[in-house]
Amino acid sequence: MSDKKLELDYLAHTSGEWLRGAGPQADIVMSSRIRLARNLADFPFISRASEPDRTEIEKTLHDAILQSELAGRLGYLDVSRLEGLDRQFLVERQLISREHADSQGARGVALDEEERVSLMINEEDHLRIQCMHSGLDLERAWDEINHIDDVLAERIAFAFNPRLGFLTACPTNVGTGMRVSVMLHLPALVITRQIEKVFRSLQKINLAVRGLYGEGSQAMGDFYQISNQITLGRSEPDLIKQVGDVVPVIIDYERKARDVLIKEGQQNLHDRVSRAYGILRNAQTISSEETMHLLSSVRMGVNLGLIQDIEIPMINQLFIHTQPAHLQKLRGVELDTADRNIERARYLRRHLNREDGNDASKN
Amino acid sequence: MKCQKCERPATFHITELTGGKPEELHLCEECAREYLTQSDSPDTGAANLAGALAQQLAVGQTAQELARLDQQACPVCGITFFEFRNKGRLGCPHDYVCFQKELEPLLANIHGETTHVGKRPKQNAAADTDQLTQLVRLRREMKEAIAAEDYEQASKLRDEIKQIKDAG
Ligand SMILES: [Zn+2]
Ligand SMILES: [Zn+2]
């Protein structure tokens, strides 16, 4: 593991593997993610850890990663020494949690170049391992994270109790310490007002629903994350199966809702999508919320073949790159809200108008 | 529609699902951002749930029983049950052992189960790391002994720490 600072300025121009728009069902499933919570057996949990404790926890975990086979593919960031903007950038990128960005004291994150793996040190638990994949691909995410957990467990005694499993700071994570999440793009269920019904049925089977960057908010691009709430009393494959089994059902609902929208008013739908595209390509100033809302329509339009001159990975990237910290990193200066809105519009025009090309790798 | 928290128009309509039933929130951009950043982490909802359930533990107990319960403290990290009920976060792995009786109904409530059936650390299938957690207490006591210039006690503790470390 090279300990040299990961080039965040470089990262700002790229995008993670999970935005590739590839993998099974990638038109509706943005990403699959699994997270494991682990704690060192010989330290207090974070809420009772002194600053020297936290420093030692960080060192212990950092060293364990360095000495393991994982070292070759991971870079390390000392989050406590990053600027606020850089921390926000990592949150927008889903590489660290907002809690991790905003907390105090010794903490860090180990990342791989493709942004599939992230190991947060001193978050709510001593260690949070996360694996993210494009599309619906929980099995691969599990194989990968299970292996990383095994590799680290060879060097570290994680707090474990034979009856309760892995012990975590919050009793809601005890047992497997596992959270399985699938991020879905569900614009048609939102338009047809069926999303509430879906929420309610998911809740009945103990699954949680949240929005991208927040809780079930429509304005955040119609992205919804479905995850397990229970972590104890079921095996990891069972938990994965529970989420994995329900996702195709929701995908099916979404597809049916799209069919209904097309049948009942192809013209209306086409108009809605085209107007959204038109605004994004021409606006001179635009808020993050409006951008996400319009990008959502465009994304659906592309998937339904109503827009043909742009590709999904590009739109996926625009959702992330038009977030406040990304815009500022890309521009290389700090911007206030008004200037950000102008910069965002400029960024969108540059990437959505064909004369500038449509290559997602270019900026 | 007006924002529920201030006078501006509500442009955000959020459905909150982490409680019992869906709850509609209508907020302006600024209040929505504040609200969302507060509850952004995927686990915050669940942590609040733990807090809420922990609060409920109080129900059905006399004030006296509750006061006694709240004062119980973990010998390893020192957290009281009262502190846990308030924060929804435990202080160290040993809390699961010393508050076992109190946590059991809470775990049953959250997970519907109270026994782990998933993955176990490979090294040792029966790994119980509570011994290692005792190091937290021993280190603390050794620091106190040194501060009190009780070097005999400190060296005894040091040996004990070494023993546990060698065994783990
Ligand atoms: Zn407001
Ligand atoms: Zn404790």
Side-chain angles (χ1 to χ4, degrees):
Chain A
M1 176 162 62
S2 64
D3 249 19
K4 90 176 164 58
K5 184 171 174 282
L6 274 182
E7 283 299 325
L8 285 183
D9 295 330
Y10 170 75
L11 271 187
H13 290 272
T14 65
S15 51
E17 192 270 353
W18 61 276
L19 284 172
R20 223 162 22 106
Q25 315 274 16
D27 56 334
I28 292 175
V29 184
M30 184 89 144
S31 63
S32 304
R33 172 162 64 165
I34 298 182
R35 173 282 263 160
L36 294 175
R38 298 288 186 258
N39 289 277
L40 306 187
D42 53 348
F43 282 91
F45 292 140
I46 294 295
S47 68
R48 299 289 290 189
S50 64
E51 196 43 48
D53 283 340
R54 289 183 61 131
T55 305
E56 208 170 325
I57 294 163
E58 194 203 2
K59 190 179 176 320
T60 306
L61 285 164
H62 188 173
D63 286 352
I65 296 168
L66 268 177
Q67 290 154 11
S68 76
E69 60 167 74
L70 303 173
R73 56 184 285 223
L74 299 177
Y76 191 78
L77 288 172
D78 181 343
V79 174
S80 68
R81 286 164 67 183
L82 291 179
E83 305 276 333
L85 189 62
D86 287 339
R87 296 200 304 267
Q88 197 193 333
F89 170 83
L90 292 172
V91 174
E92 289 174 0
R93 205 58 166 243
Q94 309 224 331
L95 293 172
I96 66 174
S97 65
R98 196 169 301 273
E99 187 177 26
H100 197 236
D102 293 346
S103 77
Q104 301 288 320
R107 63 200 191 283
V109 62
L111 304 168
D112 74 328
E113 226 173 63
E114 292 174 294
E115 300 176 40
R116 292 210 320 241
V117 175
S118 124
L119 290 90
M120 269 184 281
I121 298 178
N122 285 343
E123 206 246 19
E124 180 186 306
D125 293 294
H126 296 159
L127 179 66
R128 290 271 175 108
I129 313 170
Q130 173 183 295
C131 277
M132 196 144 63
H133 280 271
S134 181
L136 180 59
D137 205 354
L138 290 169
E139 278 70 25
R140 249 175 88 211
W142 167 242
D143 286 346
E144 193 164 17
I145 203 166
N146 191 24
H147 177 69
I148 293 172
D149 183 44
D150 286 345
V151 166
L152 292 176
E154 278 171 23
R155 295 166 190 281
I156 286 173
F158 291 131
F160 185 86
N161 174 298
R163 198 172 47 86
L164 292 174
F166 291 96
L167 306 177
T168 51
C170 183
T172 51
N173 295 316
V174 78
T176 56
M178 183 165 85
R179 195 78 63 210
V180 181
S181 308
V182 176
M183 182 78 77
L184 298 160
H185 185 225
L186 305 173
L189 288 175
V190 173
I191 295 171
T192 57
R193 297 175 185 278
Q194 295 178 81
I195 196 89
E196 295 285 321
K197 227 179 354 187
V198 174
F199 282 179
R200 271 191 292 270
S201 49
L202 288 174
Q203 259 215 317
K204 273 185 206 140
I205 53 170
N206 286 309
L207 294 176
V209 186
R210 295 180 185 88
L212 175 63
Y213 300 132
E215 313 277 320
S217 157
Q218 275 192 17
M220 298 301 183
D222 303 322
F223 284 104
Y224 294 91
Q225 181 176 287
I226 293 169
S227 52
N228 62 304
Q229 254 170 344
I230 287 171
T231 58
L232 180 65
R234 296 202 198 178
S235 70
E236 289 83 356
D238 276 358
L239 291 172
I240 290 167
K241 188 172 183 305
Q242 196 201 6
V243 176
D245 281 353
V246 84
V247 167
V249 179
I250 301 171
I251 292 173
D252 198 44
Y253 283 148
E254 170 67 19
R255 291 202 198 288
K256 286 201 177 107
R258 290 180 184 191
D259 287 347
V260 168
L261 285 176
I262 289 178
K263 268 194 211 110
E264 288 183 358
Q266 162 109 30
Q267 223 84 72
N268 286 343
L269 186 65
H270 202 163
D271 182 65
R272 179 190 188 112
V273 165
S274 303
R275 280 170 186 272
Y277 197 26
I279 294 173
L280 289 170
R281 290 169 74 161
N282 292 289
Q284 299 297 311
T285 168
I286 190 165
S287 71
S288 172
E289 289 69 32
E290 187 177 5
T291 302
M292 302 224 7
H293 179 66
L294 296 174
L295 278 174
S296 175
S297 287
V298 170
R299 193 178 190 277
M300 178 169 64
V302 172
N303 282 327
L304 293 175
L306 300 171
I307 296 177
Q308 285 169 354
D309 57 354
I310 182 168
E311 285 171 2
I312 290 295
M314 174 61 159
I315 301 173
N316 289 350
Q317 180 175 305
L318 288 176
F319 274 108
I320 306 297
H321 282 197
T322 56
Q323 296 296 316
H326 269 77
L327 282 178
Q328 295 172 79
K329 292 294 289 179
L330 285 167
R331 193 62 209 262
V333 286
E334 288 203 23
L335 302 166
D336 64 18
T337 307
D339 285 341
R340 277 207 301 274
N341 291 347
I342 292 169
E343 178 59 26
R344 183 176 294 113
R346 188 182 299 154
Y347 188 85
L348 287 164
R349 288 200 308 276
R350 200 164 66 230
H351 285 79
L352 292 175
N353 290 310
R354 262 181 303 175
E355 54 267 35
D356 285 273
N358 241 338
D359 185 349
S361 68
K362 271 189 224 148
N363 275 277
Chain B
M1 190 184 291
K2 248 193 332 196
C3 172
Q4 288 174 337
K5 296 197 173 165
C6 73
E7 293 298 303
R8 283 173 292 220
T11 49
F12 274 66
H13 310 282
I14 296 167
T15 311
E16 184 63 89
L17 285 153
T18 40
K21 53 175 187 270
E23 184 195 353
E24 286 275 2
L25 286 163
H26 308 282
L27 303 169
C28 71
E29 187 179 330
E30 206 167 305
C31 295
R33 177 160 299 129
E34 194 189 322
Y35 177 78
L36 291 173
T37 46
Q38 271 171 7
S39 53
D40 182 72
S41 151
D43 297 317
T44 313
N48 291 345
L49 174 72
L53 288 169
Q55 294 279 6
Q56 271 177 29
L57 285 180
V59 180
Q61 271 157 342
T62 67
Q64 225 171 9
E65 277 171 348
L66 189 63
R68 190 187 46 77
L69 185 66
D70 276 349
Q71 273 167 26
Q72 282 189 60
C74 167
V76 168
C77 73
I79 195 174
T80 61
F81 199 71
F82 176 78
E83 266 177 271
F84 163 65
R85 279 208 304 124
N86 271 289
K87 283 192 196 152
R89 296 286 196 289
L90 294 162
C92 81
H94 186 70
D95 299 357
Y96 284 99
V97 178
C98 69
F99 298 139
Q100 185 192 334
K101 217 178 99 224
E102 291 74 24
L103 286 175
E104 199 102 334
L106 181 65
L107 293 174
N109 222 326
I110 297 169
H111 302 283
E113 299 282 346
T114 55
T115 312
H116 178 61
V117 297
K119 183 175 180 177
R120 287 164 188 275
K122 254 199 196 123
Q123 301 325 98
N124 178 358
D128 186 343
T129 52
D130 196 51
Q131 268 292 53
L132 277 172
T133 303
Q134 297 302 321
L135 286 173
V136 176
R137 173 177 60 85
L138 294 169
R139 278 197 227 106
R140 198 178 66 184
E141 285 173 5
M142 188 166 86
K143 218 187 291 168
E144 283 164 12
I146 290 170
E149 300 185 10
D150 184 349
Y151 299 113
E152 197 181 331
Q153 174 69 3
S155 94
K156 224 179 82 193
L157 288 161
R158 194 200 50 206
D159 292 348
E160 228 177 304
I161 288 170
K162 193 173 174 306
Q163 241 177 29
I164 293 180
K165 271 196 166 160
D166 290 349

